[in-house]
Amino acid sequence: MNHLVFESPWAFAFLVPLFFAIYRVFRRSLSGKFPIFPRAAELSGKKSYRQTMIPPILFFVGMLLLVIAAARPVTLLSQTKRTADAIAIEMTIDISGSMESLDFATAVNPGKTRLDVVKETFSEFVSKRPDDLIGIVTFGGYATTRAPLTTDHEALVEMLESVYVPGARKGDMASREETLTAMGDGLAMACARLNSATNMQSRIVILLSDGASNYGIVSPDEASSLARQLGIKVYTIGIGSPGGMSPVSFGGFRLNIPSRSEFDEEGLRKIADNTGGRYFNVTSEQEMEKALEEIDALQKTRIEESVYKSAQEYYASFLWPGLLCALAGTLFPVRIAKGVV
């Protein structure tokens, strides 16, 4: 339904001095004084008095129209209600060396690593939540913000694709990211980024790891306490089997060898419990997809907003008549005065 609104309602503040001026002018005009147009005040008689009232009326009507024009009246031609599920999410990903394990590999793609599966399923998860603010934090030997909270999900997915385990690419030098896992630092950094999203009612961290925290300035317990204080829920995802065997690629063969890092399932569960979140253990790509689907279903904040398709402005309809009235109100006393001489 069409209705009129004002884009700059603050302009109506000018009505206060305008109405005060109207009151002063007309109050004094009743006593035969007309301070704005003194030549017109020289007239006398009933007819002449009515003529002296025309200029200020035109002038003030013109100023009133100009104030309305400044407030920018707009008719909204169409309005719809749009419902969205909007939250702020920090995807916090372990990129230690064990994320190169091949236990999620398939016959079609025997070289698919844990991190490959994480990137694929996270990309699909992002595509289902177009209204969310989503950011990326990674941690190995130290925590890094890979992408700030954004609704530009196309750029976010491109950034996610560029995440890899240091030393995993040919020609890369292995680093401390291979063996160290600063889980607490990663969670603390994610909380710091989410703390800036003050306009979002719901803020969560999806923390994904296949190891145990063995490095960093902030412990996982300290980071989870920070998340709880900030009202941030942490959903933790543990990849692989605790204390199990992780197939790795070696000379073109797949071998079962002991996992390179101990999988701290209890620690991940504790983080989730401390913050009101939930822990998921995934041992396959299908379980990874299911975990993210459950998080998607659990964490929704329904908001409704008005969407205006188009509008028509009417300021010109008030601007030009206002200018003409104000100009006429200013020049009219001169004509009256000439008629008296």
Side-chain angles (χ1 to χ4, degrees):
M1 182 177 178
N2 297 358
H3 61 283
L4 185 71
V5 297
F6 293 93
E7 292 290 316
S8 305
W10 55 265
F12 286 117
F14 291 109
L15 291 178
V16 175
L18 179 62
F19 287 143
F20 180 74
I22 292 173
Y23 166 74
R24 294 279 294 178
V25 167
F26 284 96
R27 187 170 72 103
R28 299 182 69 177
S29 69
L30 294 176
S31 62
K33 299 178 181 180
F34 202 81
I36 296 182
F37 308 116
R39 294 293 302 277
E42 298 173 4
L43 300 176
S44 61
K46 186 176 181 181
K47 180 179 179 181
S48 298
Y49 179 75
R50 286 200 300 267
Q51 288 178 318
T52 63
M53 299 302 295
I54 294 175
I57 291 174
L58 284 173
F59 181 79
F60 287 126
V61 168
M63 294 304 297
L64 177 61
L65 293 175
L66 289 176
V67 168
I68 296 175
R72 290 185 59 200
V74 173
T75 297
L76 300 174
L77 302 180
S78 61
Q79 176 186 8
T80 58
K81 292 293 184 180
R82 178 175 177 270
T83 301
D85 301 309
I87 63 175
I89 304 171
E90 276 289 349
M91 297 188 296
T92 308
I93 306 170
D94 186 347
I95 57 169
S96 58
S98 55
M99 290 295 288
E100 284 293 296
S101 297
L102 300 173
D103 47 339
F104 286 4
T106 63
V108 177
N109 190 352
K112 181 180 286 188
T113 66
R114 290 175 175 175
L115 186 57
D116 290 334
V117 171
V118 169
K119 291 193 290 187
E120 289 176 8
T121 52
F122 268 13
S123 295
E124 185 177 350
F125 176 80
V126 168
S127 69
K128 295 177 180 178
R129 305 192 68 98
D131 299 294
D132 289 341
L133 279 173
I134 304 179
I136 302 173
V137 170
T138 61
F139 63 92
Y142 51 86
T144 305
T145 298
R146 297 302 182 104
L149 289 168
T150 180
T151 54
D152 186 354
H153 294 170
E154 184 175 342
L156 186 80
V157 170
E158 289 182 5
M159 182 60 67
L160 182 61
E161 286 299 320
S162 68
V163 172
Y164 66 96
V165 174
R169 293 185 176 182
K170 187 176 181 180
D172 286 344
M173 295 294 293
S175 69
R176 65 179 182 174
E177 301 268 359
E178 283 278 351
T179 58
L180 301 180
T181 305
M183 186 184 299
D185 289 357
L187 178 55
M189 180 170 287
C191 290
R193 298 293 176 263
L194 284 173
N195 194 41
S196 64
T198 55
N199 60 325
M200 304 298 286
Q201 291 184 343
S202 185
R203 299 172 295 174
I204 71 168
V205 173
I206 301 177
L207 174 65
L208 187 144
S209 179
D210 66 346
S213 181
N214 58 15
Y215 193 74
I217 299 173
V218 183
S219 70
D221 286 343
E222 292 171 333
S224 63
S225 296
L226 174 63
R228 186 175 64 250
Q229 292 171 12
L230 296 175
I232 297 171
K233 287 185 179 181
V234 183
Y235 292 90
T236 55
I237 299 177
I239 297 181
S241 301
M245 308 292 282
S246 296
V248 297
S249 176
F250 182 77
F253 297 96
R254 294 186 65 204
L255 303 174
N256 284 334
I257 63 172
S259 299
R260 282 179 280 177
S261 60
E262 182 185 355
F263 180 20
D264 186 10
E265 185 175 41
E266 187 59 34
L268 291 172
R269 191 187 303 277
K270 184 178 179 181
I271 291 173
D273 291 342
N274 285 347
T275 60
R278 183 176 168 184
Y279 166 72
F280 300 87
N281 175 225
V282 300
T283 58
S284 67
E285 184 172 356
Q286 291 72 29
E287 288 182 0
M288 181 71 181
E289 293 173 353
K290 183 179 178 180
L292 289 178
E293 286 175 0
E294 290 190 35
I295 294 173
D296 179 66
L298 286 170
Q299 201 61 51
K300 290 182 182 289
T301 301
R302 182 72 59 173
I303 61 172
E304 189 177 77
E305 58 183 359
S306 296
V307 180
Y308 300 106
K309 300 297 184 180
S310 56
Q312 183 174 351
E313 298 211 32
Y314 290 99
Y315 73 91
S317 300
F318 295 90
L319 177 63
W320 298 115
L323 287 173
L324 290 174
C325 286
L327 184 62
T330 304
L331 298 179
F332 197 80
V334 177
R335 184 171 174 232
I336 296 174
K338 286 182 178 180
V340 174
V341 175

